Amino acid sequence: MSDAVSPLATPFPELPAIAGVTPRVARAGYKDWGRCDLTYVELSQGTAVAGVFTRNVCCSSEVELGRANVARGRARALVVNAGNSNAFTGYRGREAVEQIMTQVAANLGCAQEEVFVSSTGVIGVPLPKDKARAGIEAALAADECTWEEAARTIGTTDTFPKGASAKAQLGAVQVHFSAIIKGSGMIAPDMATMLGYVFTDAAVSPEFLQECLSAANRRTFSCITVDSDTSTSDTVLAFATGKAGNEPLTSFDSPGADAFAAALEDICRQLSHLVVKDGEGAQKFIAVAVSGAVSDESARKVGLAIANSPLVKTAIAGEDANWGRVVMAVGKAGQPADRDRLSIGFGGTWAARDGQPLADYDEAPVAAHLKGREISIEVDLGLGDGRATVWTCDLTHGYISINADYRS
Amino acid sequence: MSDAVSPLATPFPELPAIAGVTPRVARAGYKDWGRCDLTYVELSQGTAVAGVFTRNVCCSSEVELGRANVARGRARALVVNAGNSNAFTGYRGREAVEQIMTQVAANLGCAQEEVFVSSTGVIGVPLPKDKARAGIEAALAADECTWEEAARTIGTTDTFPKGASAKAQLGAVQVHFSAIIKGSGMIAPDMATMLGYVFTDAAVSPEFLQECLSAANRRTFSCITVDSDTSTSDTVLAFATGKAGNEPLTSFDSPGADAFAAALEDICRQLSHLVVKDGEGAQKFIAVAVSGAVSDESARKVGLAIANSPLVKTAIAGEDANWGRVVMAVGKAGQPADRDRLSIGFGGTWAARDGQPLADYDEAPVAAHLKGREISIEVDLGLGDGRATVWTCDLTHGYISINADYRS
């Protein structure tokens, strides 16, 4: 964890314990950090798992193996290594992951494929097997830790620990969700990544859990960006222990399935916002709301073009209502748009409508809005019913300092 | 023109006069600049024209009309307004462009469609018609100016005037090219754009001129990026007066056509590099050479993903041989790539080969290379014969200062 805390940081919330989930931390010593860097979460028998992973084709062995194992739908343990991403390390990196899976499976008496491993940190250095083995041993012998300790332990360049909770009423049974996430951007020469873990006591089939997680992902994690650079190790896993005792959910026809899916999406949105709020150099949290697109997916792509534009992000950093840069970003998005139907606003005040600056545009409320920490940009394409919201942060000197004023 | 000159600036070269081309400048007063801001170039009868334009769908009326008129293949005059891009100004903006075309056509006794107009500067403010009319009148009455004066006059946030020349031997006849360009990025709240103009005395049909310009564009202007933000007004026009008296070129079967196309591509490459060297905040000029791709176009897309990555650009700014960030950028490019065949080098020294860090990697020559002004990144995908080179600059505090430390 970095010393300088993001101005957008929020206190770590109270997270409920989840029946069947036991987190522990240990120190493997992957980096000279003087703090725990290995997180081990034991999951009760019968825990369902679902996951979404980076689409970066240069992904790590952790991602490759995790993607394969999620297809089996069951999990007994999660191991997260912080300080070494083990990416771009060839067969040696893969052997290190397999060693961890074997070691944990032998201890629990489960299949190797039920052990999920993530790693985050420097790339190009194979994860040291001896440190991993000793770290796992220490974790297996450790006492249960708090969610906040686990959230701190999975962090690298994060400036604050990040967690969220949710609950859903399934008929007579209330189910609970607790989740932790790490991610801030990347620092030279380390490649920090977004790793998120959601734990629930709900009983749910792996297939339906995956369906809900994938849908939530499209509207949450897939709608955030800090710097447009897709990590090699991004992973979000959802684990459901079933200990709440509800009638198992298997599809949207199951009673309570809508409430469950809504709670899962809610917790994913909370987590995704926390990552943006810890974006490298972030001073402002920006929501880009796009409406009037030809489809929701088209709206998302337009939103991402705006949220990834260095010129839009620097304008917000400069508290400048530069709607011309938003026009430029809409135009380059490669999506259907009509210059003469386009409207742009900030904080609920339109600056341009139907392709022209508003004659009676009052910049005072916009200027006041832009001085705040939470900024909204509204774009109406005027073409259809497609809508999406994308979240990002501003681009500041802090980002350059973190990533350039540094020599490995 | 800005006061602080780019450290990558080069002196304005000697450009030959081109028979049939007469540049003049005047002061329309679009901005409170105290310098000329309107460039007028008269072209002799029979001049062929070709052009490439921004693909931003929110383009200006200048671009819309220019694209339509290029299809007719003939030009008699070029007008460039600096200080106002006239983009996103609706019908009022279009009327201003049409007024300029009508005024010049009446003076020359030519068709309105033979008058090409570009504008660059603040967006969302219709170009003032009265200033444009008076500026044109002043330009028509002015003496011929130098190429350097014209290059300075089309500039906005550029820190140095940019020009290039080339020549080609077509049998017994030598033909000449002179060209000017402006572009640096964008500054709040103005939207600077890349505008380039190539003039040659060669005799060439409009269709073949367009074919050569489009091909050159794919390997030059389409292979540069400063900040990934596509302007609404980008325009490159090529004018051929035919005064050299060569046998007119109509296809690659014409004698000398290859030499002509090579010279045109050479001058386009020079111009494109000058824009990168004046990139906002640029301290280093970066060539990204991608080989081993499945096609040239795939190589170009991989090169652009690297050249647009904020993490790669900040690493170069920090003189950090961070090949892991290059791996990340390759992986997110959406192009065929195989992590285990990928090789990355800097300045001719491989840092990683076949998906793994080199055991005997000597960072000393790489570190020395990265201290220079001209940086090369080599990427071999190991898949096929596709190759491309993309040029960009580093991402520095200067970029943030220019674009954020400013309130309109």
Side-chain angles (χ1 to χ4, degrees):
Chain A
M1 309 283 291
S2 168
D3 287 337
V5 174
S6 165
L8 304 169
T10 50
F12 196 83
E14 285 291 323
L15 297 194
I18 302 295
V21 179
T22 313
R24 300 180 185 127
V25 295
R27 186 166 168 205
Y30 296 124
K31 280 194 95 159
D32 189 19
W33 268 342
R35 61 138 167 114
C36 287
D37 54 3
L38 188 149
T39 307
Y40 172 78
V41 183
E42 192 173 318
L43 304 158
S44 55
Q45 279 199 320
T47 294
V49 63
V52 290
F53 299 91
T54 181
R55 285 185 240 194
N56 192 306
V57 300
C58 294
C59 66
S60 65
S61 292
E62 283 82 342
V63 167
E64 285 181 328
L65 290 165
R67 191 181 277 128
N69 294 340
V70 152
R72 297 167 51 107
R74 294 293 165 189
R76 286 300 313 282
L78 165 70
V79 174
V80 185
N81 305 299
N84 185 324
S85 80
N86 198 37
F88 213 61
T89 54
Y91 69 91
R92 285 173 294 177
R94 190 174 176 107
E95 283 176 1
V97 182
E98 288 172 337
Q99 175 192 287
I100 292 172
M101 292 164 67
T102 306
Q103 184 182 1
V104 172
N107 179 271
L108 293 176
C110 69
Q112 179 172 312
E113 291 81 2
E114 292 175 302
V115 179
F116 289 79
V117 182
S118 304
S119 302
T120 174
V122 66
I123 83 156
V125 179
L127 193 75
K129 287 189 198 173
D130 52 344
K131 290 184 179 176
R133 184 182 302 279
I136 297 283
E137 266 172 36
L140 289 172
D143 291 335
E144 182 170 352
C145 71
T146 64
W147 284 119
E148 183 168 351
E149 284 174 292
R152 283 189 187 278
T153 302
I154 66 172
T156 55
T157 62
D158 305 65
T159 77
F160 64 96
K162 296 179 266 296
S165 67
K167 54 193 174 188
Q169 194 70 36
L170 312 187
V173 180
Q174 189 172 60
V175 300
H176 306 86
F177 298 75
S178 285
I180 57 175
I181 196 162
K182 64 88 53 179
S184 171
M186 310 196 188
I187 59 155
D190 292 2
M191 188 176 271
T193 59
M194 195 192 74
L195 301 177
Y197 307 100
V198 179
F199 304 92
T200 176
D201 52 8
V204 51
S205 72
E207 295 76 18
F208 185 60
L209 183 61
Q210 184 68 52
E211 182 180 342
C212 293
L213 181 65
S214 295
N217 176 60
R218 278 196 295 278
R219 289 188 289 268
T220 59
F221 300 112
S222 292
C223 288
I224 65 170
T225 177
V226 168
D227 54 9
S228 81
D229 275 339
T230 308
S231 127
T232 48
S233 312
D234 289 337
T235 298
V236 175
L237 293 169
F239 301 101
T241 65
K243 295 291 184 191
N246 59 292
E247 185 72 27
L249 306 174
T250 57
S251 77
F252 276 109
D253 294 332
S254 303
D258 288 333
F260 176 83
L264 184 64
E265 182 166 331
D266 173 47
I267 202 167
C268 287
R269 182 174 296 106
Q270 291 182 58
L271 293 176
S272 68
H273 288 194
L274 287 168
V275 171
V276 172
K277 288 182 175 178
D278 208 4
E280 287 173 340
Q283 292 289 321
K284 291 176 191 290
F285 177 81
I286 307 168
V288 181
V290 178
S291 60
V294 296
S295 69
D296 289 354
E297 181 57 16
S298 182
R300 190 179 74 91
K301 287 180 176 163
V302 170
L304 283 172
I306 297 165
N308 279 327
S309 162
L311 288 166
V312 171
K313 292 159 81 85
T314 49
I316 299 299
E319 303 182 347
D320 177 10
N322 196 317
W323 55 267
R325 294 185 182 180
V326 179
V327 172
M328 175 280 300
V330 171
K332 74 165 185 168
Q335 294 299 309
D338 179 341
R339 184 188 63 195
D340 298 332
R341 293 192 193 185
L342 185 57
S343 301
I344 313 273
F346 296 90
T349 303
W350 293 112
R353 286 226 74 150
D354 299 327
Q356 296 198 52
L358 277 181
D360 58 350
Y361 170 45
D362 176 10
E363 202 176 339
V366 172
H369 174 72
L370 290 180
K371 288 193 193 307
R373 286 282 181 207
E374 306 229 343
I375 307 300
S376 71
I377 302 176
E378 297 91 28
V379 174
D380 184 351
L381 299 177
L383 298 178
D385 295 326
R387 57 175 61 239
T389 301
V390 168
W391 298 276
T392 189
C393 54
D394 52 345
L395 175 56
T396 68
H397 283 290
Y399 184 87
I400 306 291
S401 295
I402 292 166
N403 289 300
D405 296 354
Y406 179 87
R407 180 71 183 84
S408 62
Chain B
M1 307 285 288
S2 168
D3 289 336
V5 174
S6 166
L8 304 169
T10 50
F12 197 82
E14 285 291 325
L15 298 193
I18 302 295
V21 179
T22 313
R24 301 180 184 128
V25 295
R27 186 167 168 202
Y30 296 124
K31 279 194 96 159
D32 189 18
W33 268 340
R35 62 139 166 113
C36 289
D37 55 2
L38 188 150
T39 307
Y40 172 79
V41 183
E42 192 173 319
L43 304 158
S44 55
Q45 279 199 321
T47 293
V49 63
V52 289
F53 298 91
T54 182
R55 286 186 238 193
N56 192 305
V57 300
C58 294
C59 66
S60 65
S61 293
E62 283 82 342
V63 167
E64 284 181 329
L65 290 164
R67 190 181 277 128
N69 294 340
V70 152
R72 297 167 51 106
R74 295 292 165 190
R76 285 300 313 282
L78 165 71
V79 175
V80 184
N81 304 300
N84 185 325
S85 79
N86 199 34
F88 213 60
T89 54
Y91 70 92
R92 284 173 292 177
R94 189 174 176 108
E95 284 176 359
V97 182
E98 288 172 338
Q99 174 193 287
I100 292 173
M101 292 165 69
T102 306
Q103 183 182 1
V104 172
N107 180 272
L108 293 176
C110 70
Q112 179 172 311
E113 292 81 1
E114 292 176 300
V115 180
F116 289 79
V117 182
S118 304
S119 302
T120 174
V122 66
I123 82 158
V125 179
L127 193 76
K129 288 189 197 175
D130 52 344
K131 291 185 179 177
R133 183 182 304 279
I136 297 283
E137 266 174 33
L140 290 171
D143 290 335
E144 182 169 353
C145 72
T146 64
W147 285 118
E148 182 168 351
E149 284 175 292
R152 284 189 186 280
T153 302
I154 66 172
T156 54
T157 63
D158 306 65
T159 76
F160 63 97
K162 296 179 265 294
S165 66
K167 53 192 173 188
Q169 194 70 36
L170 311 187
V173 181
Q174 189 171 61
V175 299
H176 306 88
F177 297 76
S178 286
I180 57 175
I181 195 162
K182 65 89 51 180
S184 171
M186 311 199 187
I187 58 154
D190 292 2
M191 188 176 271
T193 58
M194 195 192 73
L195 301 177
Y197 308 100
V198 179
F199 304 91
T200 176
D201 52 8
V204 51
S205 72
E207 295 76 16
F208 186 61
L209 183 61
Q210 183 68 51
E211 183 180 343
C212 293
L213 180 65
S214 295
N217 175 61
R218 277 195 297 278
R219 288 188 289 267
T220 59
F221 301 112
S222 291
C223 288
I224 65 170
T225 177
V226 168
D227 55 10
S228 81
D229 275 340
T230 307
S231 125
T232 48
S233 311
D234 290 337
T235 297
V236 176
L237 293 169
F239 302 100
T241 64
K243 295 291 183 190
N246 59 292
E247 184 71 27
L249 305 173
T250 57
S251 77
F252 276 109
D253 294 332
S254 302
D258 288 332
F260 176 83
L264 184 65
E265 182 166 331
D266 173 47
I267 202 167
C268 287
R269 183 174 296 106
Q270 292 181 60
L271 293 176
S272 68
H273 288 194
L274 288 168
V275 171
V276 172
K277 288 180 176 179
D278 208 3
E280 286 173 338
Q283 291 289 321
K284 293 176 191 288
F285 178 81
I286 306 169
V288 181
V290 178
S291 61
V294 295
S295 69
D296 289 355
E297 181 57 16
S298 182
R300 188 179 76 90
K301 287 180 176 164
V302 170
L304 283 172
I306 297 166
N308 279 327
S309 161
L311 287 166
V312 171
K313 294 159 81 87
T314 48
I316 299 300
E319 302 183 348
D320 177 10
N322 197 318
W323 55 267
R325 294 184 182 179
V326 179
V327 173
M328 174 279 300
V330 170
K332 73 164 185 168
Q335 294 298 309
D338 179 341
R339 184 189 61 196
D340 299 331
R341 293 194 193 184
L342 185 58
S343 301
I344 312 273
F346 295 91
T349 302
W350 293 111
R353 287 225 73 149
D354 298 328
Q356 295 198 52
L358 275 182
D360 58 350
Y361 170 45
D362 177 10
E363 203 177 338
V366 172
H369 174 71
L370 291 179
K371 289 193 192 307
R373 286 283 182 206
E374 307 230 342
I375 307 299
S376 72
I377 301 176
E378 297 92 28
V379 174
D380 184 352
L381 299 177
L383 298 178
D385 295 326
R387 58 176 58 240
T389 301
V390 168
W391 298 276
T392 189
C393 54
D394 53 345
L395 174 57
T396 69
H397 282 291
Y399 184 87
I400 305 292
S401 295
I402 293 167
N403 289 300
D405 296 353
Y406 179 85
R407 181 68 184 84
S408 64

